[in-house]
Structure formats: C-alpha cells, structure tokens
Amino acid sequence: MATPSGTAGAPNKAAQNAAAQRAAAAPSGDPVQPTNTAVPDPKDYGFGKAAATAAHGEVVAYTPRLVSGRVVVPLTFHNSSDKRLAYTVTVTVVGGKQKSPFSVVEKAGNVWPGTTWPTQADITVSGATAGTSDAKISLKVVQYDPFADTH
C-alpha cells in the first residue's frame, strides 16, 4: 500500500521533537542518576532494641509497642544471599496480662540481595499490654527462592 506523501517520517520526527523538548526542560545533570545509593542496614530504621533474631540474623524482631490496642512488632528482613529471596515468618509474643501466646504471620517477597525490607507485625488481641520489656518474642522463619520453580 502506498504511503501518502509527506507522512512517511512524521511519527518518528514527532518522537524526536518530544524527546528534544523533554531534554531541554530537564534539570542540568543526569536526572535519572540517584544521588544516594546507600542501602540502609537494619539498624538504620530506628526500630530500637532487637528482641529476637532468626535465620542467621537475617530476620530481626524489635521490642513490641502497644499502638491503639494492637501489639506492633517491628521487623526487618535482611537478605545476605546472592539471589532474591522471599520470607515467611511467624511472630509469637507472650507477655503483659496476656499469658497465652498470640501469633501472626508476616511475609516479605522478592527481597533483593544485600537489601533490607522493613515491616511490622500487627497483632490484635483482647487484653494486650505487650508493649513492655517483659514480652517474649519467638520467630519461625521460612526462606525460599520465589523463582526456583519457574521456567
């Protein structure tokens, strides 16, 4: 099919003009180059004192806090392997007026090598007062490669 005259290079020329306008409007320097490439360590999140660790120190639970009737347990997952990993951790807390253990499952998927994933486990339970130092935390961690079975 014949192309009408005058339109053969129009889309390409329009794209070139748009790219030139974006480049002219961009700030000086390389706008996509990050200025801070430091990867935070688990201690950099300000969660306080570690209360429990698991998986050779890759999963850390910090001192629980009581927030609006919920026990909040800050967590960090630090992937020290050379491939992406996913984590599933069961956080169990005993303490305060609640003498029987209460648990919650928290997940972190696709944690890149050498990075830390901060999160928290929120536990809602009647009579929870485990935001104190008498709380005992245990962690059960499962690590797995989320891409191991895909081909």
Side-chain angles (χ1 to χ4, degrees):
M1 172 182 259
T3 305
S5 64
T7 62
N12 190 25
K13 185 68 172 167
Q16 289 173 351
N17 286 340
Q21 288 175 4
R22 281 193 300 275
S28 63
D30 185 356
V32 282
Q33 181 65 29
T35 57
N36 181 3
T37 58
V39 176
D41 285 329
K43 66 182 180 331
D44 295 335
Y45 291 99
F47 289 153
K49 183 180 173 188
T53 61
H56 307 288
E58 289 190 16
V59 179
V60 179
Y62 299 87
T63 303
R65 301 171 184 148
L66 193 60
V67 178
S68 300
R70 297 181 339 262
V71 175
V72 175
V73 181
L75 299 167
T76 54
F77 299 87
H78 182 77
N79 183 353
S80 60
S81 78
D82 60 351
K83 60 184 174 181
R84 281 191 279 180
L85 290 177
Y87 298 81
T88 300
V89 61
T90 303
V91 181
T92 303
V93 180
V94 177
K97 293 179 182 175
Q98 181 73 25
K99 297 302 179 190
S100 59
F102 46 99
S103 300
V104 66
V105 174
E106 192 65 41
K107 296 182 179 187
N110 297 324
V111 180
W112 285 84
T115 63
T116 300
W117 181 298
T119 189
Q120 65 185 23
D122 290 336
I123 303 170
T124 303
V125 63
S126 177
T129 60
T132 64
S133 61
D134 70 337
K136 292 180 182 29
I137 298 176
S138 63
L139 303 171
K140 180 181 176 188
V141 178
V142 176
Q143 295 173 315
Y144 57 95
D145 180 351
F147 302 106
D149 294 333
T150 60
H151 287 58

